[in-house]
Amino acid sequence: MKTRTIQRTRLVPHTIDGKTEMVLDKYTVDVPVPPRDWDRLVLTAVTAAAAFIAVACIAWSTASIGDLLDRATITPAAYAAAAVFDLVWLSCMALEWLARYDTERAALPRRAGYVALAIAMGAVGAHGWIADQFAIGLVGAAVSGLAKSMWTVVLRHHAKPLDDRTQQWVDGQRAKAGGHLAMVAVRRELTRAEALVAAERAAVSAASGGAPETPEDDMETPEKGEQPPGTGPALPVSGPMTMADAVRTALSCGITEPDSVLRYVRKVADANAKEESVLRTLRMARRSA
């Protein structure tokens, strides 16, 4: 068995002048070396080869399809569009890799990848046919087919499908996590909507010159000059009323404070009543009384 020497440390007591301290002591030990994992090395090498093939395929297809599209548009746009053909099926394969533990989820990107591959191969073949080199076009199209086939084999080797019960358990956990994630966005949306409603109410209240109406407004503590609830004439709260009628009604009910009269006028007569107008009407009503 092969071994390798490594250095480790440990705490040991060390005494000087009768005082003991724990210090680090370095020592070496021989540990067995595990056998080389040839399966992992081979799989890594195959994956690297598949990546190299994909890069070569993108270069070939982009050059071929770019030359085809260059006949109808400017060169940068032509080659940018040409790169899309192979990047689409490669992206689908990446999604298939992410879903390698879920056969059902991996099915859609796999089918979409085959469709994108067929379109890319057709475009490469069309370039060869237009250039009067149909045989080269077929060989070039085969490059994309071989790259896709290689990656399909590699992905199948990496894929680890789950049994039915384990897959159901995973789906349940994924659904719960997805629900929690969705509620984050929903709560954010509701908070934003409530903030907009509050801002709208504040803006309307500021425009009318009063405080925002709340359910507690009907239970306000009576101020000086107002009659507490149940101790005096009930103030009529239904309209329509003119400003003068509202002022006279407030005075007849014993409401004499200008602020209280102003609130009553805005409540039953005109929500946008100006304070100067109400005070002027209040002075006239007092003089006429």
Side-chain angles (χ1 to χ4, degrees), residues 23-87:
V23 297
L24 289 175
D25 177 45
K26 296 181 180 179
Y27 67 100
T28 59
V29 61
D30 293 331
V31 297
V33 178
R36 189 178 297 274
D37 189 353
W38 290 104
D39 291 344
R40 174 57 56 181
L41 290 175
V42 171
L43 182 58
T44 302
V46 171
T47 305
F52 175 78
I53 293 172
V55 173
C57 174
I58 292 176
W60 171 262
S61 297
T62 302
S64 178
I65 302 174
D67 185 64
L68 173 65
L69 299 179
D70 190 34
R71 303 167 187 265
T73 184
I74 59 176
T75 299
Y79 283 90
V84 172
F85 285 82
D86 277 351
L87 289 177

Side-chain angles (χ1 to χ4, degrees), residues 73-256:
T73 184
I74 59 176
T75 299
Y79 283 90
V84 172
F85 285 82
D86 277 351
L87 289 177
V88 170
W89 65 262
L90 284 171
S91 299
C92 291
M93 291 183 59
L95 294 176
E96 184 181 353
W97 163 269
L98 295 176
R100 62 189 180 277
Y101 300 114
D102 191 338
T103 305
E104 184 177 353
R105 295 182 67 191
L108 178 59
R110 183 183 304 115
R111 290 193 296 266
Y114 282 124
V115 173
L117 172 66
I119 296 174
M121 294 176 65
V124 174
H127 173 256
W129 179 69
I130 291 177
D132 293 330
Q133 296 176 335
F134 190 59
I136 296 178
L138 291 178
V139 174
V143 172
S144 296
L146 290 173
K148 170 66 174 175
S149 300
M150 183 65 185
W151 268 109
T152 300
V153 173
V154 172
L155 289 180
R156 291 291 179 87
H157 195 84
H158 281 283
K160 301 295 185 292
L162 305 176
D163 63 87
D164 183 62
R165 291 188 176 183
T166 304
Q167 187 63 60
Q168 293 182 44
W169 184 89
V170 171
D171 292 341
Q173 295 297 312
R174 184 181 291 125
K176 290 180 181 179
H180 293 316
L181 185 61
M183 287 306 300
V184 172
V186 171
R187 292 191 183 98
R188 185 183 298 117
E189 179 183 357
L190 293 177
T191 301
R192 184 167 56 250
E194 291 172 355
L196 291 175
V197 172
E200 179 70 18
R201 288 177 176 172
V204 172
S205 176
S208 63
E213 294 186 2
T214 60
E216 290 78 8
D217 286 347
D218 294 336
M219 302 175 64
E220 292 180 349
T221 302
E223 298 183 2
K224 182 180 180 181
E226 288 188 358
Q227 294 290 340
T231 61
L235 286 170
V237 295
S238 59
M241 283 189 182
T242 64
M243 182 187 301
D245 291 339
V247 170
R248 285 194 293 269
T249 301
L251 290 176
S252 65
C253 293
I255 306 300
T256 58

